[in-house]
Amino acid sequence: MRAGSVVLIIWLVIGGFAAAQRHYFDDADTSCADFGTLTLTIVAGPLNYFGVNPKVHCETPQPSK
């Protein structure tokens, strides 16, 4: 159990580094798609360095006029 936890933490830290290198933490104005892409990049972890470039496309509901 302990080894799995350590691997998971290292996996997520590597994903955080990948997101930082792509400057996903720089923008304070975050949309649904930006947040999804950031989260997916962190979860993908080391796969980012093997060509995985996750992108999320979503639209938030707009207020009625």
Side-chain angles (χ1 to χ4, degrees), residues 12-32:
L12 295 175
V13 167
I14 291 171
F17 284 135
Q21 287 178 336
R22 294 176 180 174
H23 303 284
Y24 289 161
F25 296 114
D26 293 348
D27 191 13
D29 247 359
T30 305
S31 69
C32 168

Side-chain angles (χ1 to χ4, degrees), residues 26-48:
D26 293 348
D27 191 13
D29 247 359
T30 305
S31 69
C32 168
D34 292 339
F35 180 75
T37 299
L38 168 67
T39 304
L40 197 54
T41 299
I42 292 172
V43 171
L47 297 177
N48 290 290

